[in-house]
């Protein structure tokens, strides 16, 4: 661990001085890891790569502001998360309830990106464990963005059945996941919370 920290510090110093070889090393060391991390939020490989590429371009353009004494790794992971949040806010208006969840997630990222990744993976595992039809309808709505009516028509089932499965998914996930995971669940799968139930 100490060796990695020392290597990152040296890499940061070389980047700050404009060493292009150091930038290539940074890409080799972190690009794939950061893409995997971004994908846990976006669930879309192209979007994840876009985020990471923007972060990498940004770190080179602002290289003179790099502080070698700070963790380069933590900086990169936080930059990826912040870029995702920025994109998320542009995609849709952020209501008060959403802001609370985003702020809670930011506090986790601030303290430990590995913990953040653990929580994200936990959320995905629990979504995968949902009953088959329940999971299918839940993902069509929360991951793919289909409305209840569109799902009803797509699967040739009643609107009431769609709403029943989504409500059931909410209940199962809330029962299985610890309270701290709630904000992560919100970001990973979209607007997962029935706002009426959250008041």
């Amino acid at each position: 661990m100490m060796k990695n920290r020392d290597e990152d510090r040296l890499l940061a110093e070389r980047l700050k001085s404009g060493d292009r070889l150091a930038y290539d090393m940074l890409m080799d060391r972190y690009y794939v890891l950061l893409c995997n991390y971004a994908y846990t939020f976006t669930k879309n490989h192209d979007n994840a790569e876009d985020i990471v590429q923007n972060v990498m371009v940004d770190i080179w353009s602002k290289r003179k502001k790099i502080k070698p004494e700070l963790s380069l790794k933590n900086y990169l992971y936080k930059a990826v998360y912040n870029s995702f949040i920025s994109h998320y806010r542009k995609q849709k208006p952020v209501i008060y309830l959403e802001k609370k969840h985003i702020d809670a997630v930011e506090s986790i990222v601030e303290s430990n990106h590995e913990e953040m990744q653990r929580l994200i993976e936990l959320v995905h595992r629990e979504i995968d464990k949902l009953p088959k039809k329940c999971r299918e309808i839940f993902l069509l709505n929360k991951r793919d963005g289909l409305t209840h009516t569109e799902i009803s028509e797509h699967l040739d089932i009643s609107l009431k059945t769609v709403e029943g499965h989504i409500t059931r998914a909410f209940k199962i996930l809330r029962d299985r996941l610890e309270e701290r995971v709630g904000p992560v669940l919100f970001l990973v799968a979209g607007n997962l919370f029935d706002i009426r139930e959250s008041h």
Side-chain angles (χ1 to χ4, degrees):
M1 182 71 83
M2 184 63 74
K3 184 182 175 206
N4 289 342
R5 215 174 296 145
D6 289 343
E7 286 175 354
D8 268 4
R9 184 183 179 115
L10 180 60
L11 192 58
E13 287 171 353
R14 290 175 60 187
L15 278 169
K16 187 170 184 175
S17 70
D19 184 338
R20 285 193 170 273
L21 186 58
Y23 184 72
D24 291 341
M25 289 172 65
L26 183 78
M27 291 288 283
D28 288 343
R29 182 176 296 181
Y30 288 113
Y31 186 80
V32 173
L33 291 172
L34 292 173
C35 283
N36 290 339
Y37 181 61
Y39 180 75
T40 59
F41 292 112
T42 64
K43 299 311 288 179
N44 179 291
H45 289 294
D46 290 338
N47 290 346
E49 287 208 47
D50 283 345
I51 285 173
V52 175
Q53 285 165 8
N54 288 338
V55 165
M56 289 304 193
V57 167
D58 195 53
I59 197 170
W60 179 254
S61 66
K62 296 177 180 174
R63 61 190 179 279
K64 291 184 179 175
K65 295 180 181 177
I66 291 174
K67 296 179 180 177
E69 67 275 13
L70 301 180
S71 169
L72 187 60
K73 181 179 179 182
N74 286 349
Y75 171 83
L76 289 167
Y77 275 86
K78 183 135 191 255
V80 166
Y81 170 76
N82 287 341
S83 182
F84 164 74
I85 288 296
S86 176
H87 174 76
Y88 179 88
R89 289 183 200 260
K90 284 177 189 168
Q91 292 293 100
K92 54 184 277 191
V94 177
I95 61 172
Y96 173 71
L97 179 65
E98 290 174 314
K99 187 175 185 311
K100 281 173 61 181
H101 291 308
I102 289 170
D103 289 346
V105 171
E106 282 176 348
S107 71
I108 301 171
V109 172
E110 195 74 53
S111 60
N112 191 333
H113 63 79
E114 275 102 354
E115 171 69 357
M116 182 67 183
Q117 197 145 7
R118 185 190 74 79
L119 295 178
I120 289 169
E121 286 165 2
L122 177 60
V123 167
H124 285 303
R125 279 201 303 273
E126 291 304 331
I127 290 173
D128 286 343
K129 288 180 192 173
L130 289 169
K132 186 177 178 183
K133 183 58 74 173
C134 191
R135 182 179 70 246
E136 179 187 12
I137 291 171
F138 180 81
L139 290 176
L140 282 172
N141 181 231
K142 302 308 173 187
R143 181 191 63 195
D144 300 337
L146 272 64
T147 65
H148 292 193
T149 303
E150 287 168 340
I151 296 170
S152 169
E153 292 170 355
H154 175 63
L155 297 178
D156 195 23
I157 56 178
S158 73
L159 193 57
K160 191 164 181 137
T161 299
V162 172
E163 290 168 349
H165 277 296
I166 291 173
T167 300
R168 185 183 177 202
F170 285 152
K171 184 176 186 318
I172 292 171
L173 291 170
R174 276 198 289 255
D175 288 347
R176 286 181 183 169
L177 294 167
E178 57 195 90
E179 187 175 339
R180 193 167 184 233
V181 183
V184 179
L185 176 62
F186 174 85
L187 284 176
V188 166
N191 189 3
L192 300 182
F193 296 92
D194 182 329
I195 291 168
R196 289 167 301 176
E197 291 183 16
S198 299
H199 285 303

